[in-house]
Amino acid sequence: MDTAFRTPPHSTTTDGAPRTVGVEVEFANLDAPSAAAVVHRLYGGALEPEDPHRCRVTGTRLGDFAVELDMRSAHPGKGESGESGALGKAVGKAVDGVVEALRPLWGNIGSLVMPFEIAAPPIPIARLAELEPLFSALSDQGAAGTDASPLFAFGLHLNPQVARTDGEYVLDHLKAFLLLAPWLRREIRVDPTRRLTGFIAAFPADYAVKVVDPAYRPDLDGLIGDYLEANPTRNRELDLFPLFAHLAPETMAAKLADPHVRPRPTFHYRLPNARLGDPDWSLAQDWNRWVAVEELAADRDRLDALGADFRAFAARKALDDWAAEAGRRLAV
């Protein structure tokens, strides 16, 4: 099992600051106050309950954590329709009442419908290993990952800060991801329930064939336009909406109206399973798989060679064999 965290080719931003990574992990069978208590015990800070389904742990040695039921309507004032004031509080209170009334029957409504989630603060890459004890401690407290039930579709999201903000850098990483995505899905063994939900849908094959072409070199606006035309949804295994909204807010605003897109200078990598409770799983495993994407993106000759080969496999209608081929090429 991987336990050492690999360093990507670019570990700092253009101004020399260490790159950071946001980590979000979903789980069941442990409520927000209990999970927040685990965070508090490991990292210190102040424990701040906000409602029965959301807590914050602020001022820890790593920064501020949020722990919540990943269901907007479970939190007062956080409804999809944006209620606020007395009405929002009344709606939130009513929903809380329903959740609590059903809890004795279902144990935890969040575990049947939506998971609880811990969102860690952006952490320097060199300190990612400090999160590993959190995963072990949550498992020890009974937190269940996606493998624990066919009803669970829980993920681990990694949000690596970009090293640069130019279009070529972003394009190279998208190319590398498209080339390695079949291998990543095979290595991760993406949970069947997660695949069925559609939240981590693969990119269309014809779009991948277009983008990995070594000759495909649009500017940032062209890249965004092509991306949105082929992928008019956030539900991709690598969601670039937050990054595009950060890099080109006017372009994105003209093409997309989605209040859930939060501009961030990060890649939003959503593919890994959250396997809390599995002794053979570690955060390092999934981080190191992402680093393989960054390593390929940083090697233009290798990137173009794999792109040409991917297109040849596609022309022969042999993309089902590409995961094994990509794995073989990575091992060389």
Side-chain angles (χ1 to χ4, degrees):
M1 180 174 72
D2 281 340
T3 57
F5 287 78
R6 288 164 55 188
T7 302
H10 303 289
S11 59
T12 62
T13 61
T14 51
D15 61 5
R19 287 175 64 199
T20 62
V21 185
V23 177
E24 305 161 30
V25 62
E26 299 172 336
F27 54 90
N29 293 358
L30 198 64
D31 60 19
S34 301
V38 172
V39 173
H40 180 253
R41 174 168 56 82
L42 288 173
Y43 305 112
L47 190 56
E48 300 177 0
E50 295 187 0
D51 66 57
H53 317 296
R54 185 204 294 152
C55 297
R56 289 171 57 80
V57 188
T58 60
T60 80
R61 61 183 169 87
L62 294 176
D64 297 344
F65 288 75
V67 186
E68 65 181 2
L69 181 64
D70 191 8
M71 185 170 72
R72 287 177 176 266
S73 59
H75 307 301
K78 199 178 179 183
E80 292 290 343
S81 57
E83 298 95 340
S84 60
L87 177 58
K89 291 178 181 177
V91 171
K93 186 174 181 180
V95 172
D96 282 345
V98 172
V99 171
E100 293 305 317
L102 291 174
R103 190 180 301 282
L105 299 176
W106 289 346
N108 186 329
I109 192 172
S111 68
L112 289 174
V113 181
M114 298 293 281
F116 280 94
E117 175 187 87
I118 292 180
I123 294 171
I125 290 172
R127 299 186 67 183
L128 269 176
E130 294 183 46
L131 280 183
E132 205 78 87
L134 174 61
F135 287 32
S136 300
L138 290 170
S139 298
D140 290 344
Q141 290 296 310
T146 198
D147 294 338
S149 168
L151 295 174
F152 296 168
F154 303 160
L156 169 74
H157 296 182
L158 301 176
N159 298 279
Q161 180 185 18
V162 294
R164 304 198 324 249
T165 56
D166 58 277
E168 283 217 346
Y169 172 88
V170 177
L171 176 59
D172 285 343
H173 283 75
L174 177 57
K175 285 174 177 274
F177 182 83
L178 292 170
L179 288 167
L180 296 187
W183 170 79
L184 288 167
R185 288 193 292 271
R186 187 188 69 173
E187 292 296 300
I188 292 168
R189 300 190 305 277
V190 179
D191 180 80
T193 306
R194 296 189 69 225
R195 293 200 301 267
L196 288 172
T197 64
F199 293 132
I200 52 168
F203 287 91
D206 56 349
Y207 176 72
V209 168
K210 173 180 179 176
V211 173
V212 303
D213 185 347
Y216 181 74
R217 284 283 157 192
D219 61 15
L220 182 60
D221 283 350
L223 173 61
I224 292 173
D226 289 347
Y227 184 98
L228 292 177
E229 182 178 354
N231 309 281
T233 174
R234 294 180 297 137
N235 295 335
R236 289 288 182 263
E237 50 204 358
L238 178 67
D239 171 21
L240 292 185
F241 280 14
L243 178 57
F244 287 155
H246 172 80
L247 298 179
E250 293 182 359
T251 300
M252 285 293 285
K255 296 177 179 291
L256 180 75
D258 188 336
H260 301 113
V261 176
R262 293 190 296 116
R264 289 180 290 179
T266 66
F267 298 110
H268 186 36
Y269 174 47
R270 309 169 67 184
L271 191 59
N273 299 319
R275 290 166 50 197
L276 292 172
D278 182 345
D280 294 325
W281 179 61
S282 70
L283 174 61
Q285 285 178 326
D286 284 307
W287 168 251
N288 291 344
R289 291 176 183 132
W290 169 259
V291 171
V293 174
E294 296 210 9
E295 289 172 341
L296 178 57
D299 186 339
R300 179 66 66 83
D301 290 342
R302 192 159 153 250
L303 187 67
D304 286 349
L306 262 69
D309 290 347
F310 181 94
R311 288 168 57 84
F313 270 65
R316 300 199 307 269
K317 301 188 183 305
L319 283 181
D320 286 347
D321 300 327
W322 180 255
E325 175 65 13
R328 185 185 68 78
R329 299 283 285 273
L330 285 176
V332 173

